[in-house]
Amino acid sequence: MIIDFQSAVELIKKGDVIAFPTETVYGLGADANNILAIKKTYELKGRPSDNPLIVHVSSVSQAEDITRNLPESFYKLAESFWPGPLTLIVEKNPSVPDIVTGGLSTVAVRMPNHPLALKLITQSGPLTAPSANKSGKPSPTKPEHIWQDYGDVLPVLDGGSTTIGLESTILDLTSELPEILRPGAISNIELSEALGEKIRPFQEKKFNEPKPVKSPGTKYTHYKPDAEVKWIRKIPKSLEIKALYIVHSQKKLPNAKNLISYGGNFKALAKDLYDIFRSADHQQYEKIYIEELPEQQKDTMISALNNRISKACNE
Ligand code: AMP
Ligand code: MG
């Protein structure tokens, strides 16, 4: 159910959970100091309790309140990229409830670049906000997606479609070398330029890898539509009727309603990806074939798209 701004603030203050827009995807917001509200978030999403939440702030001083021993790199990156799609992992202040961080001594913090989100957080205080989908489903990039998962009962602050469409880049500032734990719209090149030092780029971890997973959420299945998602090298001459094809490189394309071409516009593909996943299910496609992405280190979206699409592929 769509709610107005004032109701959103009141509901959060009362300990309720609401969905609100950010520039990446919609978040399921709760007061970051209210343990019961945060419990409700986990229950609503069906999210495992060892998968910690990102705390959303609207100022650096709010970030300072929930953390400690912030390194210089934090200030440099906040100055360069906040508000924006960058989540920073830093030491948590002991006052932050354990339920927020899944018992970790670190906390994930981000300042979203969305006027409604910033205004809401300024009035309600820091919000924990995982993506507003049911656990395992693609993240919502418009209010309809939230209704698909929850029905019309969840209060939603409507901000239309989100502009980026994929979740934030997560950078761990607590390891010796800053390390990308999840790729997003801000690339390792931009980050190391802003920091003036090397960072460890994102490395896909294999499911069974014995090394401990630093970002607990990355070990769970995500972003998955019901249709089977598969990479393809080339579009076949004859298309399967029950499959949707997403392509970007080929010039001469068959004119078919189950084929969507993005040319080289990977930002547009990122913005639409989860909507494509959800509409493919709605239209009862059984498969989604996606043409392999080129290796272009400089295109910030490619690493994030590769990560999300690979996770959506049935392994
Ligand atoms: P979501 O909110 O659904 O976008 O997922 C948040 C992601 O942030 C998950 O992959 C979490 O594992 C990750 N995350 C949250 N807090 C931490 C933390 N303290 N250390 C490492 N990763 C974190
Ligand atoms: Mg999520």
Side-chain angles (χ1 to χ4, degrees):
M1 131 210 28
I2 299 289
I3 52 165
D4 62 23
F5 181 79
Q6 215 38 51
S7 315
V9 178
E10 279 159 24
L11 286 169
I12 293 282
K13 286 191 175 161
K14 250 177 51 192
D16 269 319
V17 175
I18 65 151
F20 69 98
T22 79
E23 80 282 33
T24 58
V25 301
Y26 274 75
L28 199 54
D31 176 348
N33 283 310
N34 186 329
I35 294 175
L36 285 179
I38 299 167
K39 269 197 182 140
K40 224 185 271 177
T41 314
Y42 278 97
E43 279 163 17
L44 270 171
K45 269 190 74 92
R47 183 174 175 109
S49 60
D50 69 342
N51 188 357
L53 306 175
I54 296 173
V55 181
H56 291 64
V57 297
S58 62
S59 66
V60 167
S61 86
Q62 278 184 348
E64 286 169 334
D65 292 342
I66 57 168
T67 56
R68 63 178 184 184
N69 299 329
L70 285 176
E72 202 192 318
S73 53
F74 169 89
Y75 289 98
K76 274 192 190 164
L77 294 169
E79 172 76 31
S80 304
F81 299 107
W82 278 7
L86 176 66
T87 297
L88 297 170
I89 308 286
V90 288
E91 239 183 88
K92 94 175 178 100
N93 187 300
S95 64
V96 175
D98 274 345
I99 187 171
V100 173
T101 61
L104 296 173
S105 61
T106 57
V107 63
V109 195
R110 172 168 113 83
M111 191 196 294
N113 187 14
H114 193 292
L116 276 177
L118 289 171
K119 196 169 144 195
L120 176 66
I121 298 163
T122 300
Q123 296 197 21
S124 64
L127 298 179
T128 49
S131 48
N133 52 290
K134 288 261 185 193
S135 222
K137 290 281 172 202
S139 301
T141 55
K142 45 168 105 159
E144 292 95 288
H145 296 165
I146 301 166
W147 298 322
Q148 285 166 8
D149 284 9
Y150 293 99
D152 196 24
V153 289
L154 189 75
V156 179
L157 191 56
D158 186 358
S161 291
T162 60
T163 50
I164 293 180
L166 297 182
E167 302 80 357
S168 58
T169 304
I170 301 182
L171 185 72
D172 182 7
L173 291 179
T174 65
S175 47
E176 223 166 275
L177 209 58
E179 179 182 358
I180 295 188
L181 302 182
R182 177 175 73 185
I186 295 176
S187 68
N188 55 340
I189 298 172
E190 289 171 278
L191 291 168
S192 57
E193 269 173 15
L195 280 178
E197 63 170 310
K198 267 201 164 167
I199 64 158
R200 196 184 291 274
F202 176 68
Q203 273 162 343
E204 286 292 348
K205 294 201 173 60
K206 296 276 177 295
F207 219 60
N208 298 326
E209 206 162 345
K211 266 199 276 173
V213 180
K214 278 202 187 154
S215 182
T218 56
K219 69 175 185 268
Y220 294 108
T221 307
H222 272 75
Y223 326 119
K224 224 176 160 81
D226 295 332
E228 191 181 347
V229 182
K230 286 196 159 203
W231 290 112
I232 43 164
R233 287 245 156 78
K234 250 184 111 199
I235 318 166
K237 286 229 167 63
S238 67
L239 304 182
E240 293 172 31
I241 302 171
K242 292 204 162 173
L244 182 65
Y245 293 80
I246 312 296
V247 302
H248 48 80
S249 75
Q250 276 166 256
K251 297 251 152 55
K252 268 199 193 150
L253 292 166
N255 197 359
K257 74 168 184 21
N258 57 338
L259 187 137
I260 312 176
S261 174
Y262 277 89
N265 193 347
F266 298 108
K267 268 199 175 133
L269 176 56
K271 184 176 186 316
D272 293 351
L273 185 73
Y274 294 144
D275 191 45
I276 293 173
F277 282 178
R278 284 175 178 266
S279 355
D281 284 347
H282 191 67
Q283 293 171 63
Q284 298 185 323
Y285 282 112
E286 288 172 0
K287 286 180 185 163
I288 305 171
Y289 289 114
I290 305 181
E291 185 186 348
E292 286 178 2
L293 306 176
E295 282 193 27
Q296 284 172 25
Q297 297 291 332
K298 285 222 164 109
D299 192 313
T300 50
M301 260 10 239
I302 288 191
S303 169
L305 279 166
N306 262 325
N307 170 256
R308 306 309 193 276
I309 296 168
S310 298
K311 279 187 170 249
C313 286
N314 292 345
E315 276 139 20

